[in-house]
Amino acid sequence: MSQKEDDPNSANPMLYDPIQDGVGSTRKLMQFIAATIVALGAVSAGTVLAWTSPVVNQLKSNESLAMTSEQESWVGSLLAIGAFFGAIPAGILADMIGRKYINMALGVPFLLSWGLIISATNVGMLYAGRIFAGIATGAVCVVAPMFISEIGEASIRGALGSFFQLFLTMGILLVYAVGSFVDWRTLSGVCAIPPALLIVGMFFLPESPVHLVKKEKRNDAVKALKWLWGKECNSRAAIQVIQNDVDSAAGKASIRDLWTIPANRAGLIICLCLMLFQQISGINAVIFYTEPIFQKAGTSFDASVCTIIVGVVQVFMTFGSTLLIDKAGRRILLMQSSIVMGACLTMLGIYFHLMDAKHDVSSIGWLPLISLVLFIVSFSLGFGPIPWMMMGELFGPDVKGMASSIAVMLNWTLVFIVTKCFGMMLENFGSDITFWIFAVCMAIATVFVALKVPETKGKSGAEIQMILAGKQN
């Protein structure tokens, strides 16, 4: 039942605009603070993703664990299996109980996973910890971008949307930096801090205004909007825009609607393809095996130092994306990303080809570092943050939860396939051909973006749906 104008809560002065219709001003600080708190889930996911890179050699040399190479690969890939199953119910639960509470609840499996890993006395406990970590990571990949996309005004929606990837890279850098100096149990204890902060921080945030309008809690939505946008915002107009989007997608959506409604179908195809190209760029293979790649390359730089450099570059360039994304637009950043990544992968392939052919590569020992740094730079400006951000933009409120779950499930299926097969590809094809395969995938990605991905910069949800339906350019 909707909240009526004579509801006791309506006496709350927060529900009234102190300005005339069509006039008002917003404050962006609380939107950035709210996005930062939600993005602590992304930090948690980043620590989970990168954890294997600095600890894999420690785990193999640990006598009590006695880990084999096969078990090592499962410690890395079980994360993706857990993430697949974590993504399945996440969108549905976010629609049922709200974005706020599902984000808060996800801190628990993160903490449980690190508790199992810290206390692990056998490989089975590591497996269990990685599965729980995967479940939480898969779910947070659905609900965090969803929440962030619903709390920001259109002028900064792109910047806020890139927070998920930005904070994920911060989690990766945290592991790279701390993992260079401490053992794997201490590192795991440090990794438990972000999910603990997530649980605490979410207590102070309001629920998503979009979710509240969907649940016919309009007064609560106004209060949430004023908390986020400031008391001087024109909440009447903002809530009416949300209400229009909700009304246009009225009714209980089914998974069939994702395919039968043209706008939904176009949005889903674009979203799934962006997730596909994100992963077949080889990014997670690079993240999981950054240090081993440098060791195999025989570079003149220390492998752990190179890994930290890559992590620092990833954070700073993803931050750069938050500044550019609402100015340059989505399409141009995606296209530069795929082009530059393809070039970098080609150069890595050439380096390893020369090395495997027994040529003297000592004079170009810097090439793997430069190639990987440029690869990370271009990924962080385009195919890193933008697929996650557009996942929150391309769908109406009625199907966003289902569509996001499907996209994240595909993403983590690909993470599993790529990371599980990366070692086999290196062994069977060689490093050169492996990187060249990824380079060809980036060439295809460039063509896809040029032909199929619409520009969503500065557009409302209704305008984006009209573009996807073919009713507006």
Side-chain angles (χ1 to χ4, degrees):
M1 185 173 179
S2 62
Q3 293 173 333
K4 306 296 185 182
E5 293 300 323
D6 59 354
D7 189 299
N9 287 331
S10 64
N12 189 326
M14 281 288 287
L15 300 180
Y16 292 96
D17 286 321
I19 41 83
Q20 297 177 350
D21 284 340
V23 182
S25 60
T26 60
R27 292 194 308 169
K28 298 176 174 60
L29 176 62
M30 298 310 292
Q31 297 173 59
F32 281 104
I33 290 175
T36 298
I37 292 172
V38 176
L40 287 169
V43 178
S44 304
T47 61
V48 168
L49 269 172
W51 182 80
T52 55
S53 183
V55 307
V56 64
N57 290 330
Q58 297 179 43
L59 295 175
K60 290 172 73 174
S61 62
N62 187 289
E63 294 182 2
S64 64
L65 295 175
M67 183 178 294
T68 65
S69 296
E70 178 66 18
Q71 290 171 329
E72 171 199 333
S73 72
W74 279 110
V75 167
S77 54
L78 279 173
L79 167 68
I81 295 175
F84 178 90
F85 289 102
I88 293 174
I92 297 172
L93 289 173
D95 284 334
M96 289 175 57
I97 66 176
R99 282 63 158 145
K100 171 179 177 174
Y101 294 108
I102 189 66
N103 272 284
M104 185 186 299
L106 289 177
V108 176
F110 275 122
L111 292 176
L112 179 60
S113 72
W114 292 122
L116 284 166
I117 290 171
I118 291 169
S119 58
T121 56
N122 55 63
V123 176
M125 293 182 71
L126 285 180
Y127 286 173
R130 293 294 282 175
I131 289 173
F132 277 111
I135 291 171
T137 299
V140 86
C141 286
V142 174
V143 297
M146 184 189 302
F147 195 175
I148 292 172
S149 72
E150 293 178 351
I151 62 177
E153 54 191 291
S155 63
I156 59 170
R157 192 179 63 225
L160 293 181
S162 65
F163 265 40
F164 182 82
Q165 182 69 20
L166 172 63
F167 279 77
L168 186 137
T169 62
M170 289 181 179
I172 291 171
L173 177 58
L174 175 67
V175 169
Y176 285 170
V178 176
S180 299
F181 303 103
V182 302
D183 64 76
W184 61 277
R185 294 187 195 273
T186 304
L187 175 62
S188 301
V190 173
C191 292
I193 296 173
L197 294 176
L198 173 66
I199 295 172
V200 174
M202 290 303 301
F203 273 109
F204 299 97
L205 297 190
E207 180 56 86
S208 156
V210 174
H211 177 74
L212 291 170
V213 170
K214 283 181 64 179
K215 295 298 182 181
E216 300 185 350
K217 297 180 179 179
R218 190 169 174 127
N219 288 346
D220 288 340
V222 171
K223 286 187 283 186
L225 202 66
K226 286 182 174 290
W227 191 98
L228 291 162
W229 292 19
K231 295 180 181 179
E232 300 297 321
C233 75
N234 188 344
S235 63
R236 291 190 190 95
I239 292 294
Q240 191 57 52
V241 169
I242 296 172
Q243 187 70 62
N244 291 342
D245 288 344
V246 171
D247 290 344
S248 67
K252 187 174 179 61
S254 67
I255 195 167
R256 184 171 176 269
D257 293 333
L258 286 172
W259 300 105
T260 57
I261 298 175
N264 291 343
R265 182 172 62 248
L268 185 63
I269 290 172
I270 291 168
C271 187
L272 293 181
C273 286
L274 290 179
M275 291 297 184
L276 170 68
F277 290 123
Q278 182 191 70
Q279 291 307 318
I280 62 176
S281 70
I283 181 62
N284 274 308
V286 171
I287 294 299
F288 275 50
Y289 297 103
T290 301
E291 194 162 324
I293 286 172
F294 281 123
Q295 290 171 345
K296 187 177 187 304
T299 177
S300 55
F301 297 94
D302 181 82
S304 61
V305 173
C306 291
T307 301
I308 294 173
I309 291 173
V310 168
V312 170
V313 169
Q314 191 174 20
V315 170
F316 276 99
M317 296 315 300
T318 306
F319 176 73
S321 176
T322 69
L323 304 178
L324 289 173
I325 203 164
D326 284 316
K327 295 181 174 64
R330 284 60 158 158
R331 277 168 49 87
I332 189 66
L333 291 177
L334 284 171
M335 290 185 68
Q336 71 76 29
S337 183
S338 56
I339 291 169
V340 176
M341 281 194 293
C344 292
L345 290 163
T346 301
M347 295 305 295
L348 277 172
I350 291 172
Y351 179 88
F352 282 110
H353 179 76
L354 293 174
M355 190 178 73
D356 292 342
K358 308 301 181 185
H359 290 284
D360 182 10
V361 293
S362 58
S363 62
I364 55 171
W366 46 267
L367 186 59
L369 175 60
I370 296 298
S371 296
L372 279 182
V373 166
L374 288 177
F375 178 90
I376 293 295
V377 166
S378 56
F379 178 84
S380 300
L381 288 174
F383 267 95
I386 293 177
W388 297 111
M389 185 208 68
M390 293 192 75
M391 185 176 74
E393 287 188 324
L394 292 173
F395 304 105
D398 58 331
V399 297
K400 186 180 291 187
M402 287 186 296
S404 297
S405 292
I406 292 170
V408 173
M409 286 163 60
L410 173 67
N411 189 283
W412 282 102
T413 300
L414 293 166
V415 171
F416 175 77
I417 293 171
V418 172
T419 54
K420 190 68 177 168
C421 293
F422 183 65
M424 292 186 290
M425 290 172 69
L426 291 175
E427 183 176 343
N428 295 325
F429 302 140
S431 301
D432 50 358
I433 294 178
T434 297
F435 285 117
W436 287 335
I437 290 172
F438 289 139
V440 170
C441 293
M442 288 299 91
I444 298 171
T446 303
V447 175
F448 173 79
V449 173
L451 297 179
K452 295 296 183 181
V453 177
E455 181 55 70
T456 58
K457 179 183 70 172
K459 293 182 170 59
S460 68
E463 290 174 324
I464 292 171
Q465 292 304 300
M466 290 183 68
I467 293 171
L468 294 172
K471 298 178 181 177
Q472 179 178 321
N473 294 323

